[in-house]
Amino acid sequence: MTVYLTRFRLNPARVGARRLLGSPQSLHAAVLSSFAEPPRQRPDGARVLWRVDQPARSEVVLYIVSPDEPDLTHLAEQAGWPRTGGWQTRPYGTFLDRITADEVWSFRLTANPVHSIRRVPDEPTKRTAHITPRHQVEWLLNRQQDAGFAVLEKPEPRPDLPPADAFEVIAHSRKDLMFQKRGEQDTRTHQVKLSRVTFDGRLRVLDPAAFRRTLTSGLGKAKAYGCGLMTLARTE
């Protein structure tokens, strides 16, 4: 599998970086501009995914998983450190191919946990964000089997707490986004609302092939706006 993982550190002191971080549409466009040819989703489902992490107040990191190797020169010039910053791109496919069943990993996922509701019987369903961490975790647990993994259960779950609290995962850093998007079939603009939530936890691989698809094609909705990308780290 030919896939690349890229890490790029943004410089939040620069106007260009602040503009990109304040607009998921602009950052999406900047990521897609990193490829000489327009990225297309491959038959195996692999596509361009991206996520922004902020491990410290002054540190903001952009991660990209992509079928093709990106060139982030324009981002370094506009929103990074052009002379000393750069970016790191590594082949990701070899790592993915080595994933086997029953491996345990720590993971981070930023996603758009939503559900469809209907307030009256004849009304069309409406996509609505999950608000509470408990419902957000339940959203993830409901998708884990099809995604090829299982979030680990806590060694000693407390029976007096909701079932979602029995698992080694937390949902945090919820951020509500609102922006205007031009329609594909007309020139009118539409207001887009979405909620991004970050999950940190530990998982066990159940189905390596399905799990690889999750890592390269994303999980959930709003992938164009920084959602769906899961990354792994060795568990302690």
Side-chain angles (χ1 to χ4, degrees):
M1 177 182 293
T2 304
V3 187
Y4 296 91
L5 174 63
T6 300
R7 182 184 187 276
F8 172 78
R9 186 177 174 190
L10 291 103
N11 181 355
R14 302 194 66 177
V15 173
R18 295 197 296 271
R19 179 181 62 82
L20 292 174
L21 293 171
S23 170
Q25 280 187 299
S26 297
L27 189 47
H28 171 63
V31 169
L32 294 189
S33 297
S34 304
F35 303 93
E37 299 295 332
R40 296 181 181 181
Q41 185 169 326
R42 299 192 316 202
D44 61 5
R47 56 173 293 162
V48 176
L49 302 170
W50 61 271
R51 186 183 81 215
V52 172
D53 285 0
Q54 189 166 0
R57 185 174 181 179
S58 60
E59 185 177 5
V60 183
V61 180
L62 170 68
Y63 290 97
I64 302 172
V65 167
S66 57
D68 301 304
E69 185 172 359
D71 180 347
L72 303 188
T73 302
H74 62 301
L75 278 175
E77 293 174 345
Q78 299 171 17
W81 286 267
R83 296 181 60 186
T84 60
W87 64 93
Q88 300 83 43
T89 296
R90 295 183 175 87
Y92 198 33
T94 301
F95 167 78
L96 297 176
D97 290 338
R98 290 176 178 171
I99 291 176
T100 60
D102 292 326
E103 288 184 341
V104 173
W105 294 92
S106 296
F107 73 89
R108 170 165 288 184
L109 165 71
T110 293
N112 172 226
V114 296
H115 62 129
S116 296
I117 62 172
R118 181 184 283 117
R119 288 172 292 185
V120 296
D122 296 330
E123 182 184 56
T125 58
K126 180 181 179 181
R127 189 178 297 167
T128 305
H130 284 298
I131 303 300
T132 66
R134 177 170 64 86
H135 287 110
Q136 292 159 358
V137 169
E138 289 176 351
W139 173 90
L140 178 62
L141 297 177
N142 289 337
R143 284 154 181 78
Q144 60 181 350
Q145 185 170 0
D146 289 343
F149 67 90
V151 177
L152 296 185
E153 295 188 39
K154 294 178 180 177
E156 298 180 1
R158 289 175 51 184
D160 58 317
L161 295 178
D165 290 340
F167 294 87
E168 294 190 26
V169 60
I170 59 171
H172 62 93
S173 302
R174 175 184 161 214
K175 184 175 183 180
D176 295 325
L177 305 173
M178 185 181 301
F179 53 92
Q180 299 293 323
K181 178 182 178 182
R182 189 178 299 276
E184 296 181 358
Q185 304 299 325
D186 55 48
T187 59
R188 293 179 298 176
T189 58
H190 308 272
Q191 189 175 69
V192 177
K193 298 180 181 179
L194 64 91
S195 180
R196 287 197 307 223
V197 176
T198 297
F199 298 90
D200 286 319
R202 297 204 306 154
L203 60 78
R204 184 183 307 278
V205 179
L206 299 180
D207 181 337
F211 189 51
R212 281 190 283 269
R213 285 194 297 273
T214 298
L215 295 175
T216 57
S217 62
L219 185 63
K221 305 291 186 181
K223 297 182 181 72
Y225 304 117
C227 298
L229 173 57
M230 175 184 285
T231 52
L232 306 177
R234 293 290 180 185
T235 188
E236 297 182 358

